[in-house]
Amino acid sequence: MRSAEYRPGRKLIGRFEHDSELLKSVTDFVKEKGIKAGVFSILGAVKGAIIAYYDQTKHEYREVQLDGPREIVSCTGNISLKNGTQFAHAHIVLADEHGNVKAGHLIRAKVFAAELHLQELLGPELVRKHDELTGLSLWEL
Ligand code: ZN
């Protein structure tokens, strides 16, 4: 395990605007607040979303489009730096009207209503770099 040590910074909560894009809103928010590293969780509901599954052989994301309203059962993510700017990485679990869930790497989602809880982390720069082995942008630790 490669690791780094951080200390807690600000704890922020926020309410997303109706019809906003979930991930872009998080990214805009952390840029506005000058947060370069952090962890977050989101609860609420979306009008639709695109999630993805990473094909570990082909090294590419396969997208799944989810149309229609769904509950955000869980959404956790982190903030770090990629290509010199803040990057939000999030995974999401979404439930339909029957309680059936779909989950994966969050590409984008249109907000119905949602709440953010974000913990800023203070310490060394947390930077993502391309990893040859996995094909992913991983933390350079
Ligand atoms: Zn992911």
Side-chain angles (χ1 to χ4, degrees):
M1 171 81 71
R2 302 177 195 196
S3 69
E5 204 166 312
Y6 291 82
R7 58 189 192 282
R10 291 167 286 175
K11 240 181 216 299
L12 298 160
I13 61 160
R15 196 186 86 188
F16 291 82
E17 298 292 342
H18 185 78
D19 278 341
S20 62
E21 201 288 299
L22 198 71
L23 217 43
K24 183 183 183 302
S25 297
V26 173
T27 310
D28 289 349
F29 181 66
V30 295
K31 282 180 181 172
E32 181 192 312
K33 293 290 180 186
I35 294 168
K36 292 179 174 175
V39 291
F40 62 86
S41 62
I42 299 168
L43 288 179
V46 297
K47 292 181 170 182
I50 297 175
I51 58 172
Y53 167 85
Y54 190 69
D55 186 317
Q56 297 177 10
T57 306
K58 292 180 177 169
H59 286 189
E60 60 188 27
Y61 281 103
R62 274 190 243 149
E63 294 190 355
V64 178
Q65 188 165 338
L66 304 172
D67 295 321
R70 285 163 203 265
E71 295 290 324
I72 303 172
V73 178
S74 177
C75 178
T76 60
N78 56 56
I79 304 297
S80 54
L81 299 173
K82 187 178 168 185
N83 301 322
T85 190
Q86 283 91 337
F87 175 78
H89 178 209
H91 285 197
I92 194 164
V93 182
L94 294 166
D96 68 14
E97 60 184 314
H98 306 292
N100 296 317
V101 299
K102 296 273 188 185
H105 175 94
L106 178 61
I107 302 292
R108 61 176 167 270
K110 193 173 190 181
V111 172
F112 178 73
E115 299 166 344
L116 172 75
H117 173 213
L118 189 144
Q119 171 69 64
E120 179 184 29
L121 297 174
L122 300 172
E125 276 205 335
L126 187 54
V127 178
R128 288 189 179 276
K129 283 272 167 64
H130 178 76
D131 176 66
E132 207 59 49
L133 190 65
T134 61
L136 293 165
S137 283
L138 301 180
W139 287 335
E140 200 180 41
L141 294 170

